[in-house]
Amino acid sequence: MLHIVLIGVGAGLAAALLFASLISSTPLAFPLFCVTGVPIAIAGFGWTPLAAAIAALAGAGALFLFMPPLAAGAFLLLFAIPVAWCVRLAAMSRTTDAGTEWYPYGRLLLHATGAVAIGLSLVGFLIGYDAESMTPGMADALQQWFAAHPDLQSQPTRAEIEPFVRFNLRLLPYSLGAIALLITVLDLWLGALVARKSGRLTRLAEPVWTAALPIEAALAFAAALALSFLPPPLGDVAAVFAGATACALAMVGLAVLHAVTVGNTSRRLVLVVTYFLLAFFGFPIFLFAALGLAETILHLRARRFAGTPPSP
Protein backbone atom coordinates (compact mmCIF):
# COMPACT_ATOMS: atom_id res chain seq x y z
CA MET A 1 0.00 0.00 0.00
CA LEU A 2 2.83 2.39 0.84
CA HIS A 3 4.39 2.06 -2.62
CA ILE A 4 0.99 2.88 -4.19
CA VAL A 5 0.84 6.09 -2.13
CA LEU A 6 4.41 7.02 -3.06
CA ILE A 7 3.78 6.36 -6.74
CA GLY A 8 0.60 8.44 -6.60
CA VAL A 9 2.27 11.35 -4.83
CA GLY A 10 5.19 11.33 -7.25
CA ALA A 11 2.88 11.23 -10.25
CA GLY A 12 0.78 14.03 -8.78
CA LEU A 13 3.81 16.27 -8.27
CA ALA A 14 4.96 15.59 -11.84
CA ALA A 15 1.49 16.45 -13.15
CA ALA A 16 1.45 19.66 -11.09
CA LEU A 17 4.81 20.72 -12.58
CA LEU A 18 3.54 20.07 -16.09
CA PHE A 19 0.39 22.07 -15.36
CA ALA A 20 2.41 24.98 -13.90
CA SER A 21 4.70 25.03 -16.96
CA LEU A 22 2.04 27.08 -18.75
CA ILE A 23 3.18 30.21 -16.89
CA SER A 24 6.74 29.90 -18.19
CA SER A 25 5.89 31.48 -21.58
CA THR A 26 8.41 29.25 -23.38
CA PRO A 27 7.75 27.49 -26.70
CA LEU A 28 7.38 24.19 -24.82
CA ALA A 29 4.94 25.59 -22.25
CA PHE A 30 1.72 24.61 -24.00
CA PRO A 31 2.89 21.13 -25.14
CA LEU A 32 3.99 20.36 -21.57
CA PHE A 33 0.68 21.68 -20.23
CA CYS A 34 -1.20 19.39 -22.62
CA VAL A 35 0.44 16.25 -21.18
CA THR A 36 -0.45 17.14 -17.59
CA GLY A 37 -2.67 14.09 -17.31
CA VAL A 38 -0.04 11.60 -18.50
CA PRO A 39 1.65 10.98 -15.10
CA ILE A 40 -1.78 10.41 -13.53
CA ALA A 41 -2.68 7.97 -16.30
CA ILE A 42 0.63 6.11 -15.96
CA ALA A 43 0.11 5.74 -12.21
CA GLY A 44 -3.43 4.48 -12.73
CA PHE A 45 -2.77 2.11 -15.61
CA GLY A 46 0.59 0.88 -14.32
CA TRP A 47 -0.40 0.38 -10.69
CA THR A 48 -4.02 0.88 -9.61
CA PRO A 49 -6.83 3.43 -10.04
CA LEU A 50 -6.15 4.32 -6.40
CA ALA A 51 -2.70 5.56 -7.43
CA ALA A 52 -4.38 7.81 -10.04
CA ALA A 53 -6.77 9.19 -7.40
CA ILE A 54 -3.86 9.87 -5.03
CA ALA A 55 -1.97 11.56 -7.87
CA ALA A 56 -4.96 13.80 -8.58
CA LEU A 57 -5.19 14.90 -4.94
CA ALA A 58 -1.42 15.28 -4.53
CA GLY A 59 -1.13 17.43 -7.65
CA ALA A 60 -4.02 19.64 -6.60
CA GLY A 61 -2.56 19.99 -3.11
CA ALA A 62 0.83 21.05 -4.46
CA LEU A 63 -0.73 23.64 -6.73
CA PHE A 64 -2.91 24.91 -3.89
CA LEU A 65 0.21 25.51 -1.76
CA PHE A 66 2.30 27.32 -4.38
CA MET A 67 -0.22 28.87 -6.78
CA PRO A 68 -3.62 30.59 -6.51
CA PRO A 69 -6.45 28.25 -5.43
CA LEU A 70 -8.02 28.67 -8.86
CA ALA A 71 -5.06 26.80 -10.37
CA ALA A 72 -5.69 23.78 -8.15
CA GLY A 73 -9.36 23.83 -9.09
CA ALA A 74 -8.59 24.04 -12.80
CA PHE A 75 -6.09 21.19 -12.47
CA LEU A 76 -8.69 18.98 -10.84
CA LEU A 77 -11.51 19.82 -13.24
CA LEU A 78 -9.56 19.84 -16.50
CA PHE A 79 -7.11 16.99 -16.00
CA ALA A 80 -7.09 15.10 -12.71
CA ILE A 81 -10.72 14.09 -12.32
CA PRO A 82 -11.41 13.19 -15.99
CA VAL A 83 -8.21 11.13 -16.29
CA ALA A 84 -8.56 9.39 -12.92
CA TRP A 85 -12.22 8.59 -13.61
CA CYS A 86 -11.49 7.12 -17.04
CA VAL A 87 -8.61 5.08 -15.61
CA ARG A 88 -11.02 3.67 -13.04
CA LEU A 89 -13.50 2.68 -15.77
CA ALA A 90 -10.77 1.23 -17.99
CA ALA A 91 -9.77 -1.10 -15.16
CA MET A 92 -13.27 -2.56 -14.90
CA SER A 93 -13.88 -5.98 -16.38
CA ARG A 94 -16.13 -9.01 -16.07
CA THR A 95 -15.65 -12.68 -16.75
CA THR A 96 -18.00 -14.37 -19.22
CA ASP A 97 -18.08 -17.68 -21.03
CA ALA A 98 -16.16 -16.02 -23.87
CA GLY A 99 -13.45 -14.78 -21.52
CA THR A 100 -12.70 -11.44 -19.89
CA GLU A 101 -14.66 -8.44 -21.14
CA TRP A 102 -13.19 -5.03 -20.44
CA TYR A 103 -15.11 -1.79 -20.20
CA PRO A 104 -15.74 -0.81 -23.86
CA TYR A 105 -13.69 1.93 -25.51
CA GLY A 106 -16.83 3.64 -26.76
CA ARG A 107 -18.27 3.95 -23.26
CA LEU A 108 -14.90 5.22 -22.03
CA LEU A 109 -14.99 7.90 -24.71
CA LEU A 110 -18.53 8.85 -23.72
CA HIS A 111 -17.56 9.22 -20.06
CA ALA A 112 -14.46 11.20 -21.01
CA THR A 113 -16.63 13.54 -23.07
CA GLY A 114 -19.01 14.15 -20.19
CA ALA A 115 -16.25 14.61 -17.61
CA VAL A 116 -14.31 17.04 -19.81
CA ALA A 117 -17.39 19.08 -20.70
CA ILE A 118 -18.53 19.34 -17.08
CA GLY A 119 -15.04 20.26 -15.88
CA LEU A 120 -14.50 22.87 -18.57
CA SER A 121 -17.92 24.42 -17.90
CA LEU A 122 -17.15 24.68 -14.18
CA VAL A 123 -13.78 26.28 -14.93
CA GLY A 124 -15.60 28.77 -17.14
CA PHE A 125 -17.82 29.74 -14.23
CA LEU A 126 -14.79 30.02 -11.92
CA ILE A 127 -12.76 32.30 -14.16
CA GLY A 128 -15.71 34.00 -15.83
CA TYR A 129 -16.39 33.95 -19.53
CA ASP A 130 -18.24 36.81 -21.16
CA ALA A 131 -17.65 37.18 -24.88
CA GLU A 132 -19.17 40.65 -25.00
CA SER A 133 -16.97 42.07 -22.25
CA MET A 134 -13.88 40.42 -23.75
CA THR A 135 -14.49 41.76 -27.25
CA PRO A 136 -13.13 45.33 -26.76
CA GLY A 137 -9.89 44.12 -25.17
CA MET A 138 -9.31 41.48 -27.82
CA ALA A 139 -10.11 43.97 -30.57
CA ASP A 140 -7.62 46.46 -29.08
CA ALA A 141 -4.90 43.81 -28.93
CA LEU A 142 -5.51 42.76 -32.53
CA GLN A 143 -5.54 46.37 -33.72
CA GLN A 144 -2.24 47.02 -31.96
CA TRP A 145 -0.77 43.93 -33.61
CA PHE A 146 -1.75 45.19 -37.05
CA ALA A 147 -0.35 48.64 -36.21
CA ALA A 148 2.98 47.02 -35.27
CA HIS A 149 3.13 45.43 -38.72
CA PRO A 150 2.70 48.33 -41.17
CA ASP A 151 4.22 46.24 -43.93
CA LEU A 152 0.97 44.25 -44.21
CA GLN A 153 -0.98 45.29 -47.29
CA SER A 154 -4.36 45.04 -45.57
CA GLN A 155 -4.89 47.14 -42.45
CA PRO A 156 -8.44 46.47 -41.18
CA THR A 157 -10.37 49.14 -39.36
CA ARG A 158 -11.77 48.82 -35.85
CA ALA A 159 -15.25 48.37 -37.34
CA GLU A 160 -13.94 45.37 -39.31
CA ILE A 161 -12.00 43.85 -36.42
CA GLU A 162 -14.78 43.78 -33.82
CA PRO A 163 -17.20 41.50 -35.71
CA PHE A 164 -14.31 39.12 -36.43
CA VAL A 165 -13.31 39.02 -32.75
CA ARG A 166 -16.90 38.65 -31.58
CA PHE A 167 -17.46 35.73 -33.97
CA ASN A 168 -14.33 33.90 -32.82
CA LEU A 169 -15.12 34.42 -29.15
CA ARG A 170 -18.57 33.00 -29.76
CA LEU A 171 -16.97 29.88 -31.28
CA LEU A 172 -14.44 29.55 -28.46
CA PRO A 173 -16.57 27.31 -26.16
CA TYR A 174 -17.08 24.85 -29.04
CA SER A 175 -13.38 24.68 -29.86
CA LEU A 176 -12.29 24.52 -26.22
CA GLY A 177 -14.62 21.57 -25.61
CA ALA A 178 -13.17 19.73 -28.60
CA ILE A 179 -9.55 20.52 -27.73
CA ALA A 180 -10.01 19.55 -24.07
CA LEU A 181 -11.39 16.13 -25.03
CA LEU A 182 -8.61 15.60 -27.57
CA ILE A 183 -5.99 16.37 -24.91
CA THR A 184 -7.64 14.04 -22.38
CA VAL A 185 -7.82 11.15 -24.84
CA LEU A 186 -4.18 11.76 -25.86
CA ASP A 187 -3.06 11.73 -22.21
CA LEU A 188 -4.93 8.48 -21.55
CA TRP A 189 -3.46 6.88 -24.66
CA LEU A 190 0.10 7.94 -23.79
CA GLY A 191 -0.32 6.75 -20.21
CA ALA A 192 -1.61 3.36 -21.36
CA LEU A 193 1.19 3.11 -23.92
CA VAL A 194 3.89 3.72 -21.30
CA ALA A 195 2.27 1.23 -18.91
CA ARG A 196 2.02 -1.39 -21.66
CA LYS A 197 5.63 -0.92 -22.78
CA SER A 198 6.77 -1.35 -19.18
CA GLY A 199 4.72 -4.53 -18.83
CA ARG A 200 2.47 -3.13 -16.12
CA LEU A 201 -0.80 -2.74 -18.05
CA THR A 202 -3.19 -5.54 -17.15
CA ARG A 203 -5.87 -4.61 -19.68
CA LEU A 204 -5.56 -6.60 -22.88
CA ALA A 205 -4.88 -4.69 -26.09
CA GLU A 206 -7.93 -4.20 -28.32
CA PRO A 207 -8.27 -2.50 -31.71
CA VAL A 208 -9.23 1.08 -30.91
CA TRP A 209 -11.01 1.35 -34.25
CA THR A 210 -13.78 -0.84 -32.83
CA ALA A 211 -14.87 2.02 -30.54
CA ALA A 212 -18.53 2.91 -30.99
CA LEU A 213 -20.70 5.47 -29.24
CA PRO A 214 -24.24 4.64 -28.11
CA ILE A 215 -27.17 6.41 -29.75
CA GLU A 216 -27.44 8.64 -26.68
CA ALA A 217 -24.31 10.44 -27.86
CA ALA A 218 -26.00 11.50 -31.10
CA LEU A 219 -29.07 12.69 -29.19
CA ALA A 220 -26.90 14.58 -26.70
CA PHE A 221 -25.02 16.27 -29.53
CA ALA A 222 -28.24 17.39 -31.21
CA ALA A 223 -29.63 18.74 -27.93
CA ALA A 224 -26.40 20.53 -26.99
CA LEU A 225 -26.05 22.05 -30.45
CA ALA A 226 -29.62 23.37 -30.33
CA LEU A 227 -29.20 24.78 -26.81
CA SER A 228 -25.88 26.42 -27.72
CA PHE A 229 -27.79 29.15 -29.58
CA LEU A 230 -29.39 30.30 -26.32
CA PRO A 231 -27.96 33.35 -24.53
CA PRO A 232 -25.07 32.90 -22.07
CA PRO A 233 -24.36 31.25 -19.74
CA LEU A 234 -26.58 28.33 -20.77
CA GLY A 235 -25.63 28.76 -24.41
CA ASP A 236 -21.91 28.71 -23.59
CA VAL A 237 -22.23 25.57 -21.45
CA ALA A 238 -24.20 23.84 -24.20
CA ALA A 239 -21.55 24.91 -26.73
CA VAL A 240 -18.84 23.24 -24.63
CA PHE A 241 -20.85 20.01 -24.57
CA ALA A 242 -21.55 20.29 -28.30
CA GLY A 243 -17.87 20.82 -29.10
CA ALA A 244 -16.70 17.93 -26.91
CA THR A 245 -19.37 15.58 -28.30
CA ALA A 246 -18.53 16.60 -31.86
CA CYS A 247 -14.88 15.73 -31.16
CA ALA A 248 -15.94 12.32 -29.81
CA LEU A 249 -18.03 11.72 -32.94
CA ALA A 250 -15.07 12.73 -35.10
CA MET A 251 -12.93 10.14 -33.30
CA VAL A 252 -15.54 7.51 -34.12
CA GLY A 253 -15.47 8.75 -37.71
CA LEU A 254 -11.71 8.19 -37.76
CA ALA A 255 -12.29 4.75 -36.25
CA VAL A 256 -14.58 3.99 -39.20
CA LEU A 257 -11.79 4.97 -41.59
CA HIS A 258 -9.34 2.72 -39.73
CA ALA A 259 -11.84 -0.14 -39.82
CA VAL A 260 -12.81 -0.02 -43.48
CA THR A 261 -9.19 0.21 -44.61
CA VAL A 262 -8.04 -2.90 -42.74
CA GLY A 263 -6.41 -5.21 -45.25
CA ASN A 264 -6.18 -2.52 -47.91
CA THR A 265 -2.71 -2.15 -49.44
CA SER A 266 -3.12 1.65 -49.50
CA ARG A 267 -4.19 1.83 -45.86
CA ARG A 268 -1.00 3.41 -44.54
CA LEU A 269 -0.98 6.08 -47.25
CA VAL A 270 -4.65 6.91 -46.69
CA LEU A 271 -4.17 7.26 -42.94
CA VAL A 272 -1.00 9.35 -43.24
CA VAL A 273 -2.64 11.75 -45.70
CA THR A 274 -5.76 11.97 -43.52
CA TYR A 275 -3.89 12.84 -40.34
CA PHE A 276 -1.65 15.26 -42.24
CA LEU A 277 -4.73 17.14 -43.46
CA LEU A 278 -6.23 17.13 -39.99
CA ALA A 279 -3.03 18.42 -38.39
CA PHE A 280 -2.35 21.22 -40.85
CA PHE A 281 -5.81 22.25 -42.02
CA GLY A 282 -8.28 21.07 -39.41
CA PHE A 283 -11.46 21.46 -41.43
CA PRO A 284 -11.72 17.72 -42.35
CA ILE A 285 -12.62 17.16 -38.70
CA PHE A 286 -16.16 18.27 -39.54
CA LEU A 287 -16.41 15.57 -42.19
CA PHE A 288 -15.30 12.92 -39.72
CA ALA A 289 -17.73 14.24 -37.10
CA ALA A 290 -20.52 13.80 -39.66
CA LEU A 291 -19.21 10.31 -40.47
CA GLY A 292 -19.11 9.46 -36.76
CA LEU A 293 -22.67 10.70 -36.34
CA ALA A 294 -23.80 8.56 -39.26
CA GLU A 295 -21.97 5.54 -37.82
CA THR A 296 -23.56 6.06 -34.41
CA ILE A 297 -27.04 6.13 -35.93
CA LEU A 298 -26.69 3.71 -38.86
CA HIS A 299 -23.84 1.36 -37.80
CA LEU A 300 -21.89 1.73 -41.03
CA ARG A 301 -19.24 -0.77 -39.90
CA ALA A 302 -21.80 -3.57 -39.70
CA ARG A 303 -20.80 -4.97 -43.12
CA ARG A 304 -17.14 -4.83 -42.23
CA PHE A 305 -17.81 -6.84 -39.07
CA ALA A 306 -19.89 -9.59 -40.67
CA GLY A 307 -23.19 -7.90 -40.07
CA THR A 308 -22.57 -7.14 -36.41
CA PRO A 309 -21.46 -3.62 -35.48
CA PRO A 310 -19.05 -3.21 -32.58
CA SER A 311 -20.90 -3.19 -29.30
CA PRO A 312 -20.98 0.26 -27.67
Side-chain angles (χ1 to χ4, degrees), residues 33 81 140 199 242:
F33 173 79
I81 293 177
D140 288 339

Side-chain angles (χ1 to χ4, degrees), residues 129-142:
Y129 178 79
D130 185 354
E132 287 301 320
S133 64
M134 294 171 65
T135 298
M138 294 289 290
D140 288 339
L142 193 56

Side-chain angles (χ1 to χ4, degrees), residues 109-110 113 178 181 213 217 242-253 288-289 292 296:
L109 181 58
L110 185 64
T113 302
L181 179 62
L213 290 171
T245 310
C247 182
L249 290 169
M251 291 180 186
V252 172
F288 283 102
T296 302

Side-chain angles (χ1 to χ4, degrees), residues 4-14 51 54-55 58-59:
I4 295 294
V5 174
L6 294 177
I7 290 293
V9 171
L13 294 178
I54 294 172

Side-chain angles (χ1 to χ4, degrees), residues 16-26 28-34:
L17 286 174
L18 291 170
F19 183 87
S21 66
L22 191 62
I23 64 176
S24 66
S25 301
T26 64
L28 288 177
F30 185 70
L32 290 175
F33 173 79
C34 288

